[in-house]
Amino acid sequence: MRKKIRETTNDSLSLRLRLAGLRPTRQRSELANLLFRNGDRHLTAEILHAEAMAEGIKVSLATVYNTLHQFTQAGLLRQVVVDATRSYFDTNMGDHQHFYCEDEGALMDIPDSGIMVDASRFVPPAGTTVQRVDVVVRVKHS
Amino acid sequence: MRKKIRETTNDSLSLRLRLAGLRPTRQRSELANLLFRNGDRHLTAEILHAEAMAEGIKVSLATVYNTLHQFTQAGLLRQVVVDATRSYFDTNMGDHQHFYCEDEGALMDIPDSGIMVDASRFVPPAGTTVQRVDVVVRVKHS
DNA sequence: ATTTGTGCAAATCGTTTGCATCTGA
DNA sequence: TCAGATGCAAACGATTTGCACAAAT
């Protein structure tokens, strides 16, 4: 049979990476798989790295950091700042908000119904435009 | 004239510290003065430390950090998380929200009219209660 | 072949801590 | 007096970077 022109291994993830202008290297593809195969996720670099290790994926922590930032820049992830000591990344790029439980450091999406902050309700400082509006509902175990 | 029983040096700041259960030490009083004399402020430990130095106030950076946390715990300050790399403290304890300009790392109050997020609009995860709702409007120089 | 990514370990940066010394009540 | 504060420097933990090597196109 003839040589396959189009890459057979080119799953949708590789495609996504390509479209984002990122070479689908082994590490990036495997991390992308971890990140996106199971829908919405909120994780730190360390958590992702630990998961990768657990699945036998070889990546250094430094590469995980780099990759998360590249994905963020490419619009595949969103960085969520809730805790001064940790950086979370969210695979859900839709317009949504979060619950954050400080007790356990858990970040959760607010089920849709929720808060819609209407950007027209306020005027940004002179010379600036609104990038986005972050809403974090801080909760505590009661 | 008779000995003054009540401290003459007891300005409102020292009083505030006392009421908060904090000894009005020289450093705490002077930092409190810097923080509260000019109304609302948003600053990092480093900025406050630099200001103190500039005014000839002798405090170590470590003490500034400690003091900011003590004030926060005492309800005199609020810590605002907007940037993964810096911690801001806000002297405005009222219910309000912020603009954050990533370009210049500037944090500003949103003039009141603004956003009122109504906590009843959503249900916190089971077993938790809402602490507070943080809204950060991220803006960029255009 | 050339460009781009990766790994490691060292460097960085904000923040915290241990401990000896000082200070306010 | 003496519990509580402070200062310094060392410790810390998350993140980043420099550089030699490896992989993708």
mmCIF file of all heavy atoms in Angstrom, chain D residues 1-2 4 7-8 10-17 19-24:
data_model
loop_
_atom_site.group_PDB
_atom_site.id
_atom_site.type_symbol
_atom_site.label_atom_id
_atom_site.label_comp_id
_atom_site.label_asym_id
_atom_site.label_seq_id
_atom_site.Cartn_x
_atom_site.Cartn_y
_atom_site.Cartn_z
ATOM 1 P P DT D 1 14.240 43.201 86.469
ATOM 2 O OP1 DT D 1 15.056 42.500 87.417
ATOM 3 O OP2 DT D 1 14.401 43.099 85.051
ATOM 4 O "O5'" DT D 1 12.720 43.075 86.855
ATOM 5 C "C5'" DT D 1 12.026 42.101 87.615
ATOM 6 C "C4'" DT D 1 10.683 41.837 86.958
ATOM 7 O "O4'" DT D 1 10.274 43.002 86.175
ATOM 8 C "C3'" DT D 1 10.734 40.670 85.972
ATOM 9 O "O3'" DT D 1 9.504 39.976 86.112
ATOM 10 C "C2'" DT D 1 10.840 41.347 84.621
ATOM 11 C "C1'" DT D 1 10.011 42.610 84.826
ATOM 12 N N1 DT D 1 10.386 43.776 83.950
ATOM 13 C C2 DT D 1 9.409 44.354 83.191
ATOM 14 O O2 DT D 1 8.258 43.967 83.169
ATOM 15 N N3 DT D 1 9.831 45.431 82.457
ATOM 16 C C4 DT D 1 11.097 45.972 82.411
ATOM 17 O O4 DT D 1 11.334 46.949 81.724
ATOM 18 C C5 DT D 1 12.084 45.305 83.216
ATOM 19 C C7 DT D 1 13.479 45.778 83.240
ATOM 20 C C6 DT D 1 11.695 44.245 83.950
ATOM 21 P P DC D 2 9.377 38.467 85.823
ATOM 22 O OP1 DC D 2 8.660 37.836 86.938
ATOM 23 O OP2 DC D 2 10.729 37.995 85.437
ATOM 24 O "O5'" DC D 2 8.430 38.373 84.541
ATOM 25 C "C5'" DC D 2 7.852 39.559 83.939
ATOM 26 C "C4'" DC D 2 7.688 39.329 82.433
ATOM 27 O "O4'" DC D 2 8.212 40.499 81.750
ATOM 28 C "C3'" DC D 2 8.485 38.154 81.845
ATOM 29 O "O3'" DC D 2 7.759 37.663 80.747
ATOM 30 C "C2'" DC D 2 9.781 38.814 81.401
ATOM 31 C "C1'" DC D 2 9.213 40.109 80.845
ATOM 32 N N1 DC D 2 10.165 41.241 80.668
ATOM 33 C C2 DC D 2 9.642 42.454 80.208
ATOM 34 O O2 DC D 2 8.432 42.557 79.986
ATOM 35 N N3 DC D 2 10.500 43.492 80.026
ATOM 36 C C4 DC D 2 11.807 43.344 80.272
ATOM 37 N N4 DC D 2 12.579 44.405 80.061
ATOM 38 C C5 DC D 2 12.347 42.108 80.741
ATOM 39 C C6 DC D 2 11.490 41.087 80.926
ATOM 40 P P DG D 4 2.520 37.361 75.469
ATOM 41 O OP1 DG D 4 1.041 37.412 75.505
ATOM 42 O OP2 DG D 4 3.240 36.103 75.148
ATOM 43 O "O5'" DG D 4 3.029 38.482 74.461
ATOM 44 C "C5'" DG D 4 2.812 39.841 74.766
ATOM 45 C "C4'" DG D 4 3.667 40.692 73.840
ATOM 46 O "O4'" DG D 4 5.060 40.619 74.213
ATOM 47 C "C3'" DG D 4 3.606 40.249 72.367
ATOM 48 O "O3'" DG D 4 3.501 41.423 71.604
ATOM 49 C "C2'" DG D 4 4.952 39.558 72.149
ATOM 50 C "C1'" DG D 4 5.841 40.399 73.040
ATOM 51 N N9 DG D 4 7.097 39.782 73.450
ATOM 52 C C8 DG D 4 7.302 38.496 73.905
ATOM 53 N N7 DG D 4 8.554 38.260 74.199
ATOM 54 C C5 DG D 4 9.215 39.451 73.922
ATOM 55 C C6 DG D 4 10.578 39.796 74.032
ATOM 56 O O6 DG D 4 11.518 39.116 74.426
ATOM 57 N N1 DG D 4 10.819 41.118 73.644
ATOM 58 C C2 DG D 4 9.849 41.985 73.195
ATOM 59 N N2 DG D 4 10.259 43.208 72.852
ATOM 60 N N3 DG D 4 8.568 41.670 73.083
ATOM 61 C C4 DG D 4 8.321 40.397 73.463
ATOM 62 P P DG D 7 12.782 46.595 63.061
ATOM 63 O OP1 DG D 7 13.219 48.006 62.983
ATOM 64 O OP2 DG D 7 11.750 46.077 62.132
ATOM 65 O "O5'" DG D 7 14.078 45.673 62.962
ATOM 66 C "C5'" DG D 7 15.199 46.015 63.756
ATOM 67 C "C4'" DG D 7 16.312 45.025 63.481
ATOM 68 O "O4'" DG D 7 15.896 43.716 63.942
ATOM 69 C "C3'" DG D 7 16.649 44.877 62.011
ATOM 70 O "O3'" DG D 7 18.062 44.985 61.902
ATOM 71 C "C2'" DG D 7 16.140 43.482 61.633
ATOM 72 C "C1'" DG D 7 16.155 42.750 62.955
ATOM 73 N N9 DG D 7 15.099 41.748 63.141
ATOM 74 C C8 DG D 7 13.777 41.868 62.791
ATOM 75 N N7 DG D 7 13.056 40.826 63.119
ATOM 76 C C5 DG D 7 13.962 39.959 63.720
ATOM 77 C C6 DG D 7 13.758 38.659 64.271
ATOM 78 O O6 DG D 7 12.716 38.010 64.347
ATOM 79 N N1 DG D 7 14.943 38.118 64.767
ATOM 80 C C2 DG D 7 16.158 38.755 64.740
ATOM 81 N N2 DG D 7 17.182 38.085 65.265
ATOM 82 N N3 DG D 7 16.363 39.968 64.235
ATOM 83 C C4 DG D 7 15.226 40.501 63.735
ATOM 84 P P DC D 8 18.734 45.424 60.585
ATOM 85 O OP1 DC D 8 19.696 46.476 60.961
ATOM 86 O OP2 DC D 8 17.703 45.669 59.546
ATOM 87 O "O5'" DC D 8 19.575 44.128 60.143
ATOM 88 C "C5'" DC D 8 20.413 43.492 61.106
ATOM 89 C "C4'" DC D 8 20.429 41.990 60.856
ATOM 90 O "O4'" DC D 8 19.163 41.416 61.199
ATOM 91 C "C3'" DC D 8 20.653 41.605 59.392
ATOM 92 O "O3'" DC D 8 22.024 41.204 59.251
ATOM 93 C "C2'" DC D 8 19.676 40.448 59.149
ATOM 94 C "C1'" DC D 8 19.099 40.166 60.534
ATOM 95 N N1 DC D 8 17.676 39.734 60.545
ATOM 96 C C2 DC D 8 17.339 38.573 61.231
ATOM 97 O O2 DC D 8 18.223 37.929 61.799
ATOM 98 N N3 DC D 8 16.036 38.191 61.264
ATOM 99 C C4 DC D 8 15.110 38.911 60.643
ATOM 100 N N4 DC D 8 13.837 38.500 60.712
ATOM 101 C C5 DC D 8 15.429 40.108 59.926
ATOM 102 C C6 DC D 8 16.722 40.477 59.901
ATOM 103 P P DA D 10 23.556 34.534 56.376
ATOM 104 O OP1 DA D 10 25.001 34.756 56.276
ATOM 105 O OP2 DA D 10 22.693 34.859 55.217
ATOM 106 O "O5'" DA D 10 23.266 33.024 56.789
ATOM 107 C "C5'" DA D 10 22.691 32.700 58.050
ATOM 108 C "C4'" DA D 10 21.451 31.838 57.859
ATOM 109 O "O4'" DA D 10 20.286 32.676 57.643
ATOM 110 C "C3'" DA D 10 21.533 30.903 56.649
ATOM 111 O "O3'" DA D 10 21.115 29.611 57.062
ATOM 112 C "C2'" DA D 10 20.589 31.544 55.630
ATOM 113 C "C1'" DA D 10 19.543 32.188 56.533
ATOM 114 N N9 DA D 10 18.803 33.306 55.921
ATOM 115 C C8 DA D 10 19.336 34.334 55.179
ATOM 116 N N7 DA D 10 18.434 35.193 54.757
ATOM 117 C C5 DA D 10 17.244 34.699 55.262
ATOM 118 C C6 DA D 10 15.913 35.170 55.164
ATOM 119 N N6 DA D 10 15.551 36.271 54.505
ATOM 120 N N1 DA D 10 14.957 34.444 55.782
ATOM 121 C C2 DA D 10 15.315 33.333 56.447
ATOM 122 N N3 DA D 10 16.533 32.793 56.614
ATOM 123 C C4 DA D 10 17.460 33.542 55.981
ATOM 124 P P DA D 11 20.755 28.457 56.017
ATOM 125 O OP1 DA D 11 21.079 27.161 56.660
ATOM 126 O OP2 DA D 11 21.319 28.816 54.702
ATOM 127 O "O5'" DA D 11 19.166 28.552 55.918
ATOM 128 C "C5'" DA D 11 18.382 28.286 57.076
ATOM 129 C "C4'" DA D 11 16.920 28.152 56.652
ATOM 130 O "O4'" DA D 11 16.477 29.406 56.093
ATOM 131 C "C3'" DA D 11 16.672 27.085 55.585
ATOM 132 O "O3'" DA D 11 15.483 26.410 55.946
ATOM 133 C "C2'" DA D 11 16.516 27.903 54.300
ATOM 134 C "C1'" DA D 11 15.875 29.183 54.829
ATOM 135 N N9 DA D 11 16.101 30.395 54.018
ATOM 136 C C8 DA D 11 17.284 30.837 53.500
ATOM 137 N N7 DA D 11 17.183 31.975 52.834
ATOM 138 C C5 DA D 11 15.834 32.298 52.932
ATOM 139 C C6 DA D 11 15.082 33.386 52.450
ATOM 140 N N6 DA D 11 15.602 34.383 51.744
ATOM 141 N N1 DA D 11 13.760 33.408 52.720
ATOM 142 C C2 DA D 11 13.238 32.403 53.438
ATOM 143 N N3 DA D 11 13.837 31.323 53.959
ATOM 144 C C4 DA D 11 15.155 31.340 53.667
ATOM 145 P P DC D 12 15.007 25.090 55.133
ATOM 146 O OP1 DC D 12 14.669 24.083 56.141
ATOM 147 O OP2 DC D 12 15.994 24.800 54.066
ATOM 148 O "O5'" DC D 12 13.661 25.573 54.453
ATOM 149 C "C5'" DC D 12 13.306 26.918 54.538
ATOM 150 C "C4'" DC D 12 12.139 27.215 53.635
ATOM 151 O "O4'" DC D 12 12.397 28.494 53.022
ATOM 152 C "C3'" DC D 12 11.928 26.221 52.489
ATOM 153 O "O3'" DC D 12 10.582 25.767 52.553
ATOM 154 C "C2'" DC D 12 12.203 27.013 51.214
ATOM 155 C "C1'" DC D 12 12.122 28.455 51.658
ATOM 156 N N1 DC D 12 13.119 29.378 51.012
ATOM 157 C C2 DC D 12 12.671 30.578 50.475
ATOM 158 O O2 DC D 12 11.473 30.844 50.521
ATOM 159 N N3 DC D 12 13.571 31.418 49.907
ATOM 160 C C4 DC D 12 14.855 31.100 49.872
ATOM 161 N N4 DC D 12 15.696 31.968 49.312
ATOM 162 C C5 DC D 12 15.344 29.868 50.410
ATOM 163 C C6 DC D 12 14.443 29.032 50.968
ATOM 164 P P DG D 13 10.113 24.419 51.819
ATOM 165 O OP1 DG D 13 9.305 23.642 52.766
ATOM 166 O OP2 DG D 13 11.303 23.814 51.151
ATOM 167 O "O5'" DG D 13 9.164 24.985 50.679
ATOM 168 C "C5'" DG D 13 8.312 26.100 50.934
ATOM 169 C "C4'" DG D 13 7.815 26.627 49.602
ATOM 170 O "O4'" DG D 13 8.747 27.603 49.091
ATOM 171 C "C3'" DG D 13 7.707 25.556 48.514
ATOM 172 O "O3'" DG D 13 6.554 25.857 47.751
ATOM 173 C "C2'" DG D 13 8.984 25.718 47.719
ATOM 174 C "C1'" DG D 13 9.206 27.217 47.810
ATOM 175 N N9 DG D 13 10.599 27.622 47.701
ATOM 176 C C8 DG D 13 11.708 26.888 48.032
ATOM 177 N N7 DG D 13 12.820 27.530 47.824
ATOM 178 C C5 DG D 13 12.425 28.759 47.331
ATOM 179 C C6 DG D 13 13.190 29.877 46.927
ATOM 180 O O6 DG D 13 14.416 30.010 46.922
ATOM 181 N N1 DG D 13 12.383 30.922 46.473
ATOM 182 C C2 DG D 13 11.012 30.889 46.432
ATOM 183 N N2 DG D 13 10.395 31.972 45.974
ATOM 184 N N3 DG D 13 10.285 29.848 46.814
ATOM 185 C C4 DG D 13 11.051 28.827 47.247
ATOM 186 P P DA D 14 5.998 24.842 46.652
ATOM 187 O OP1 DA D 14 4.685 24.354 47.112
ATOM 188 O OP2 DA D 14 7.063 23.893 46.299
ATOM 189 O "O5'" DA D 14 5.763 25.813 45.415
ATOM 190 C "C5'" DA D 14 4.963 26.961 45.585
ATOM 191 C "C4'" DA D 14 5.408 27.988 44.581
ATOM 192 O "O4'" DA D 14 6.789 28.297 44.786
ATOM 193 C "C3'" DA D 14 5.274 27.503 43.135
ATOM 194 O "O3'" DA D 14 4.618 28.506 42.391
ATOM 195 C "C2'" DA D 14 6.726 27.320 42.674
ATOM 196 C "C1'" DA D 14 7.463 28.333 43.541
ATOM 197 N N9 DA D 14 8.867 28.001 43.783
ATOM 198 C C8 DA D 14 9.364 26.840 44.305
ATOM 199 N N7 DA D 14 10.670 26.826 44.427
ATOM 200 C C5 DA D 14 11.061 28.055 43.942
ATOM 201 C C6 DA D 14 12.320 28.660 43.793
ATOM 202 N N6 DA D 14 13.462 28.071 44.142
ATOM 203 N N1 DA D 14 12.368 29.900 43.276
ATOM 204 C C2 DA D 14 11.215 30.508 42.931
ATOM 205 N N3 DA D 14 9.963 30.043 43.029
ATOM 206 C C4 DA D 14 9.962 28.793 43.544
ATOM 207 P P DT D 15 4.121 28.195 40.913
ATOM 208 O OP1 DT D 15 2.959 29.063 40.697
ATOM 209 O OP2 DT D 15 4.026 26.743 40.705
ATOM 210 O "O5'" DT D 15 5.326 28.781 40.043
ATOM 211 C "C5'" DT D 15 5.532 30.169 40.077
ATOM 212 C "C4'" DT D 15 6.883 30.518 39.485
ATOM 213 O "O4'" DT D 15 7.930 29.786 40.137
ATOM 214 C "C3'" DT D 15 7.030 30.189 37.998
ATOM 215 O "O3'" DT D 15 7.138 31.432 37.312
ATOM 216 C "C2'" DT D 15 8.300 29.370 37.909
ATOM 217 C "C1'" DT D 15 8.993 29.690 39.220
ATOM 218 N N1 DT D 15 9.948 28.672 39.719
ATOM 219 C C2 DT D 15 11.284 29.003 39.755
ATOM 220 O O2 DT D 15 11.729 30.077 39.385
ATOM 221 N N3 DT D 15 12.110 28.029 40.246
ATOM 222 C C4 DT D 15 11.736 26.766 40.692
ATOM 223 O O4 DT D 15 12.575 25.972 41.111
ATOM 224 C C5 DT D 15 10.309 26.480 40.623
ATOM 225 C C7 DT D 15 9.785 25.152 41.071
ATOM 226 C C6 DT D 15 9.496 27.440 40.146
ATOM 227 P P DT D 16 7.410 31.505 35.761
ATOM 228 O OP1 DT D 16 6.906 32.811 35.277
ATOM 229 O OP2 DT D 16 6.956 30.239 35.159
ATOM 230 O "O5'" DT D 16 9.008 31.542 35.726
ATOM 231 C "C5'" DT D 16 9.706 32.712 36.211
ATOM 232 C "C4'" DT D 16 11.155 32.664 35.726
ATOM 233 O "O4'" DT D 16 11.819 31.645 36.493
ATOM 234 C "C3'" DT D 16 11.274 32.280 34.261
ATOM 235 O "O3'" DT D 16 11.565 33.387 33.407
ATOM 236 C "C2'" DT D 16 12.223 31.085 34.212
ATOM 237 C "C1'" DT D 16 12.709 30.922 35.642
ATOM 238 N N1 DT D 16 12.716 29.516 36.122
ATOM 239 C C2 DT D 16 13.904 29.010 36.601
ATOM 240 O O2 DT D 16 14.925 29.664 36.623
ATOM 241 N N3 DT D 16 13.860 27.723 37.047
ATOM 242 C C4 DT D 16 12.754 26.880 37.058
ATOM 243 O O4 DT D 16 12.844 25.729 37.484
ATOM 244 C C5 DT D 16 11.541 27.474 36.530
ATOM 245 C C7 DT D 16 10.298 26.626 36.475
ATOM 246 C C6 DT D 16 11.580 28.740 36.101
ATOM 247 P P DT D 17 12.701 34.105 32.986
ATOM 248 O OP1 DT D 17 12.849 35.122 34.025
ATOM 249 O OP2 DT D 17 12.469 34.510 31.620
ATOM 250 O "O5'" DT D 17 14.005 33.182 32.979
ATOM 251 C "C5'" DT D 17 15.004 33.487 33.956
ATOM 252 C "C4'" DT D 17 16.323 32.809 33.666
ATOM 253 O "O4'" DT D 17 16.289 31.437 34.120
ATOM 254 C "C3'" DT D 17 16.781 32.763 32.206
ATOM 255 O "O3'" DT D 17 18.193 32.947 32.221
ATOM 256 C "C2'" DT D 17 16.429 31.332 31.784
ATOM 257 C "C1'" DT D 17 16.711 30.593 33.074
ATOM 258 N N1 DT D 17 15.958 29.314 33.307
ATOM 259 C C2 DT D 17 16.599 28.300 33.984
ATOM 260 O O2 DT D 17 17.747 28.374 34.362
ATOM 261 N N3 DT D 17 15.829 27.198 34.195
ATOM 262 C C4 DT D 17 14.530 26.995 33.813
ATOM 263 O O4 DT D 17 13.953 25.955 34.077
ATOM 264 C C5 DT D 17 13.912 28.110 33.114
ATOM 265 C C7 DT D 17 12.505 28.014 32.654
ATOM 266 C C6 DT D 17 14.658 29.197 32.887
ATOM 267 P P DC D 19 24.770 30.810 29.271
ATOM 268 O OP1 DC D 19 26.095 31.315 29.691
ATOM 269 O OP2 DC D 19 24.048 31.448 28.143
ATOM 270 O "O5'" DC D 19 24.916 29.253 28.973
ATOM 271 C "C5'" DC D 19 25.138 28.335 30.053
ATOM 272 C "C4'" DC D 19 24.978 26.913 29.550
ATOM 273 O "O4'" DC D 19 23.588 26.520 29.586
ATOM 274 C "C3'" DC D 19 25.423 26.720 28.091
ATOM 275 O "O3'" DC D 19 26.076 25.475 27.989
ATOM 276 C "C2'" DC D 19 24.106 26.714 27.332
ATOM 277 C "C1'" DC D 19 23.234 25.961 28.329
ATOM 278 N N1 DC D 19 21.772 26.099 28.156
ATOM 279 C C2 DC D 19 20.938 25.091 28.626
ATOM 280 O O2 DC D 19 21.438 24.127 29.183
ATOM 281 N N3 DC D 19 19.593 25.219 28.468
ATOM 282 C C4 DC D 19 19.095 26.288 27.858
ATOM 283 N N4 DC D 19 17.769 26.364 27.725
ATOM 284 C C5 DC D 19 19.931 27.338 27.363
ATOM 285 C C6 DC D 19 21.259 27.206 27.528
ATOM 286 P P DA D 20 27.105 25.226 26.753
ATOM 287 O OP1 DA D 20 28.431 25.607 27.290
ATOM 288 O OP2 DA D 20 26.619 25.816 25.487
ATOM 289 O "O5'" DA D 20 27.037 23.642 26.644
ATOM 290 C "C5'" DA D 20 27.087 22.838 27.829
ATOM 291 C "C4'" DA D 20 26.346 21.530 27.561
ATOM 292 O "O4'" DA D 20 24.922 21.802 27.516
ATOM 293 C "C3'" DA D 20 26.702 20.871 26.228
ATOM 294 O "O3'" DA D 20 26.736 19.456 26.400
ATOM 295 C "C2'" DA D 20 25.590 21.329 25.302
ATOM 296 C "C1'" DA D 20 24.396 21.380 26.261
ATOM 297 N N9 DA D 20 23.341 22.317 25.859
ATOM 298 C C8 DA D 20 23.501 23.540 25.249
ATOM 299 N N7 DA D 20 22.361 24.161 25.005
ATOM 300 C C5 DA D 20 21.399 23.294 25.485
ATOM 301 C C6 DA D 20 19.996 23.382 25.525
ATOM 302 N N6 DA D 20 19.293 24.418 25.059
ATOM 303 N N1 DA D 20 19.326 22.340 26.077
ATOM 304 C C2 DA D 20 20.033 21.302 26.547
ATOM 305 N N3 DA D 20 21.355 21.111 26.574
ATOM 306 C C4 DA D 20 21.985 22.155 26.016
ATOM 307 P P DC D 21 26.842 18.465 25.116
ATOM 308 O OP1 DC D 21 27.658 17.326 25.555
ATOM 309 O OP2 DC D 21 27.199 19.235 23.901
ATOM 310 O "O5'" DC D 21 25.347 17.932 24.955
ATOM 311 C "C5'" DC D 21 24.699 17.294 26.068
ATOM 312 C "C4'" DC D 21 23.293 16.891 25.639
ATOM 313 O "O4'" DC D 21 22.537 18.077 25.325
ATOM 314 C "C3'" DC D 21 23.253 16.012 24.387
ATOM 315 O "O3'" DC D 21 22.385 14.914 24.653
ATOM 316 C "C2'" DC D 21 22.738 16.947 23.308
ATOM 317 C "C1'" DC D 21 21.839 17.878 24.116
ATOM 318 N N1 DC D 21 21.598 19.218 23.507
ATOM 319 C C2 DC D 21 20.284 19.705 23.421
ATOM 320 O O2 DC D 21 19.351 19.008 23.840
ATOM 321 N N3 DC D 21 20.068 20.931 22.861
ATOM 322 C C4 DC D 21 21.104 21.657 22.427
ATOM 323 N N4 DC D 21 20.832 22.844 21.901
ATOM 324 C C5 DC D 21 22.436 21.175 22.507
ATOM 325 C C6 DC D 21 22.648 19.972 23.050
ATOM 326 P P DA D 22 22.053 13.830 23.483
ATOM 327 O OP1 DA D 22 21.909 12.508 24.119
ATOM 328 O OP2 DA D 22 22.956 14.038 22.345
ATOM 329 O "O5'" DA D 22 20.587 14.301 23.064
ATOM 330 C "C5'" DA D 22 19.549 14.314 24.046
ATOM 331 C "C4'" DA D 22 18.221 14.506 23.343
ATOM 332 O "O4'" DA D 22 18.136 15.850 22.847
ATOM 333 C "C3'" DA D 22 18.004 13.584 22.148
ATOM 334 O "O3'" DA D 22 16.675 13.112 22.238
ATOM 335 C "C2'" DA D 22 18.266 14.491 20.940
ATOM 336 C "C1'" DA D 22 17.835 15.854 21.466
ATOM 337 N N9 DA D 22 18.540 17.009 20.910
ATOM 338 C C8 DA D 22 19.886 17.165 20.720
ATOM 339 N N7 DA D 22 20.234 18.335 20.229
ATOM 340 C C5 DA D 22 19.021 18.998 20.089
ATOM 341 C C6 DA D 22 18.692 20.286 19.623
ATOM 342 N N6 DA D 22 19.589 21.166 19.205
ATOM 343 N N1 DA D 22 17.382 20.626 19.618
ATOM 344 C C2 DA D 22 16.484 19.745 20.045
ATOM 345 N N3 DA D 22 16.661 18.520 20.515
ATOM 346 C C4 DA D 22 17.964 18.195 20.510
ATOM 347 P P DA D 23 16.041 12.164 21.120
ATOM 348 O OP1 DA D 23 15.257 11.150 21.840
ATOM 349 O OP2 DA D 23 17.059 11.754 20.120
ATOM 350 O "O5'" DA D 23 15.006 13.163 20.411
ATOM 351 C "C5'" DA D 23 14.173 13.992 21.222
ATOM 352 C "C4'" DA D 23 13.310 14.848 20.322
ATOM 353 O "O4'" DA D 23 14.094 15.943 19.778
ATOM 354 C "C3'" DA D 23 12.714 14.132 19.128
ATOM 355 O "O3'" DA D 23 11.414 14.646 18.955
ATOM 356 C "C2'" DA D 23 13.643 14.518 17.970
ATOM 357 C "C1'" DA D 23 14.018 15.948 18.370
ATOM 358 N N9 DA D 23 15.316 16.421 17.906
ATOM 359 C C8 DA D 23 16.503 15.749 17.905
ATOM 360 N N7 DA D 23 17.511 16.472 17.465
ATOM 361 C C5 DA D 23 16.939 17.702 17.175
ATOM 362 C C6 DA D 23 17.482 18.898 16.674
ATOM 363 N N6 DA D 23 18.771 19.063 16.376
ATOM 364 N N1 DA D 23 16.630 19.941 16.484
ATOM 365 C C2 DA D 23 15.335 19.770 16.802
ATOM 366 N N3 DA D 23 14.707 18.687 17.289
ATOM 367 C C4 DA D 23 15.589 17.683 17.441
ATOM 368 P P DA D 24 10.390 13.994 17.940
ATOM 369 O OP1 DA D 24 9.173 13.687 18.715
ATOM 370 O OP2 DA D 24 11.060 12.937 17.141
ATOM 371 O "O5'" DA D 24 10.076 15.233 16.989
ATOM 372 C "C5'" DA D 24 9.455 16.380 17.551
ATOM 373 C "C4'" DA D 24 9.362 17.470 16.491
ATOM 374 O "O4'" DA D 24 10.698 17.902 16.168
ATOM 375 C "C3'" DA D 24 8.723 17.001 15.182
ATOM 376 O "O3'" DA D 24 7.871 18.016 14.704
ATOM 377 C "C2'" DA D 24 9.908 16.762 14.252
ATOM 378 C "C1'" DA D 24 10.924 17.783 14.767
ATOM 379 N N9 DA D 24 12.323 17.390 14.595
ATOM 380 C C8 DA D 24 12.871 16.173 14.860
ATOM 381 N N7 DA D 24 14.161 16.109 14.624
ATOM 382 C C5 DA D 24 14.482 17.373 14.176
ATOM 383 C C6 DA D 24 15.692 17.960 13.751
ATOM 384 N N6 DA D 24 16.858 17.304 13.728
ATOM 385 N N1 DA D 24 15.652 19.246 13.363
ATOM 386 C C2 DA D 24 14.501 19.900 13.390
ATOM 387 N N3 DA D 24 13.298 19.460 13.763
ATOM 388 C C4 DA D 24 13.352 18.181 14.153
#
